[in-house]
Amino acid sequence: VYGTLAPGRSNHHVVSDIQGSWQRASVRGKLFEKGWGAWQGYPAMLPTPDGDLVDGFVFSSTDLVDHWSRLDDFEGEDYLRIPITVTTEHDEHLEAYVYSIKPDLA
């Protein structure tokens, strides 16, 4: 949902070969000036129910299952892929995954 993999951002090439669709979405979380994306303007996120609204995108693809290992490696050991409910720009709630900074690093 949030970060450098979205269209037009610095690391979109990592997912550009995966067929799917993007739509604007948001989650609740807290941002920390940590993690490898912070210097690119994307601080690490830790999802929290009482956090700020964090805008981004959700990528939907039936092919993601074939790429999780590669994406996990790309994000690195400081991040966890966790399930989360996102809210789309059309106020739909979807189950998705987000890469969260490990809580002990936040």
Side-chain angles (χ1 to χ4, degrees):
V1 168
Y2 163 82
T4 66
L5 296 175
R9 296 187 180 163
S10 61
N11 289 314
H12 179 67
H13 65 277
V14 174
V15 295
S16 63
D17 63 331
I18 305 172
Q19 294 294 315
S21 62
W22 293 88
Q23 60 181 313
R24 291 192 175 280
S26 60
V27 296
R28 294 269 174 197
K30 295 184 180 176
L31 300 178
F32 297 89
E33 289 295 327
K34 297 184 177 192
W36 61 261
W39 68 272
Q40 297 181 48
Y42 298 100
M45 185 183 68
L46 182 66
T48 58
D50 61 338
D52 295 327
L53 195 62
V54 179
D55 292 321
F57 294 86
V58 62
F59 180 61
S60 301
S61 173
T62 57
D63 296 336
L64 275 172
V65 67
D66 298 326
H67 299 274
W68 283 130
S69 179
R70 176 173 63 94
L71 294 172
D72 292 346
D73 289 345
F74 171 78
E75 291 292 338
E77 63 184 32
D78 292 345
Y79 293 87
L80 300 171
R81 176 171 37 100
I82 60 169
I84 192 168
T85 301
V86 303
T87 304
T88 71
E89 63 185 336
H90 303 293
D91 210 28
E92 296 173 278
H93 299 282
L94 302 175
E95 295 304 312
Y97 288 96
V98 68
Y99 284 97
S100 169
I101 188 91
K102 289 181 176 177
D104 60 325
L105 298 177

